[in-house]
Amino acid sequence: MARTVALNRLSVAPQTRAQLDAAMARKGVPEEVRDGVLDRFTDVGLVDDAAYARAWVESRHAGRGLARRALGYELRKRGVEPAVADDAVETLDPEQEAATARALVAARLPSTRRLDPVARTRRLTGLLARKGYPPGLAFRVVREALESDGVDGVDLPDDFLAD
């Protein structure tokens, strides 16, 4: 039964060891049986949390524009060991992360043109904050985007101009 539960879950989508363990526990599989099946699946490569984490980082960053902090949180929430999650998140290039932040802001920038500069700043930095971008990067990217959109630096909040 334990193998069937794990194989059924893996046939739908990749799973972490913790996700498979939880699924088998919900079906009433004893812990020692779960551990044996998971150890065997790990040995043959059906369960690989490190590969799962790397693929998750690549997919979620490209698809949803999530930053390192949000990606690490999602991986830990799925039961990936913190060290493995951190290693996967570190594969994300800081320049790639900044480029993704710029793309997110550029996509949203036109819809904020009717707002005053402070409100635009708040909306755009809030977007990046919800995606897990650090404040320094978020403010820098938003400032660059607003200045390229013709907003004069004197129209921006004082704390926004500091780096």
Side-chain angles (χ1 to χ4, degrees):
M1 177 174 171
R3 287 175 40 135
T4 303
V5 170
L7 288 171
N8 285 342
R9 297 277 304 211
L10 288 170
S11 70
V12 174
Q15 303 278 306
T16 66
R17 183 179 176 104
Q19 288 172 319
L20 292 172
D21 187 54
M24 288 186 281
R26 282 191 301 273
K27 295 288 185 176
V29 176
E31 184 175 355
E32 57 277 353
V33 174
R34 294 192 319 253
D35 288 342
V37 168
L38 290 171
D39 288 344
R40 177 67 181 141
F41 278 24
T42 300
D43 290 344
V44 298
L46 290 174
V47 177
D48 184 350
D49 282 359
Y52 176 91
R54 286 189 304 273
W56 184 264
V57 165
E58 182 68 30
S59 170
R60 299 291 279 185
H61 179 73
R64 301 228 10 244
L66 296 180
R68 293 171 182 227
R69 186 178 67 191
L71 292 166
Y73 171 77
E74 284 191 351
L75 286 170
R76 285 186 292 280
K77 192 169 112 177
R78 282 167 176 69
V80 175
E81 293 290 324
V84 174
D86 291 344
D87 287 345
V89 167
E90 288 302 314
T91 64
L92 185 60
D93 180 39
E95 285 303 314
Q96 181 183 5
E97 187 177 37
T100 302
R102 286 185 190 95
L104 289 167
V105 169
R108 183 68 60 88
L109 192 63
S111 69
T112 66
R113 287 201 175 108
R114 62 178 168 66
L115 302 172
D116 67 272
V118 173
R120 291 179 84 182
T121 301
R122 193 172 45 246
R123 292 257 176 105
L124 295 170
T125 54
L127 163 73
L128 294 178
R130 287 187 299 278
K131 300 237 179 223
Y133 289 89
L137 175 63
F139 279 114
R140 185 175 69 247
V141 167
V142 170
R143 182 182 68 222
E144 291 168 1
L146 290 176
E147 287 175 351
S148 73
D149 200 42
V151 174
D152 188 7
V154 297
D155 295 332
L156 298 174
D158 291 336
D159 59 341
F160 181 68
L161 297 173
D163 246 345

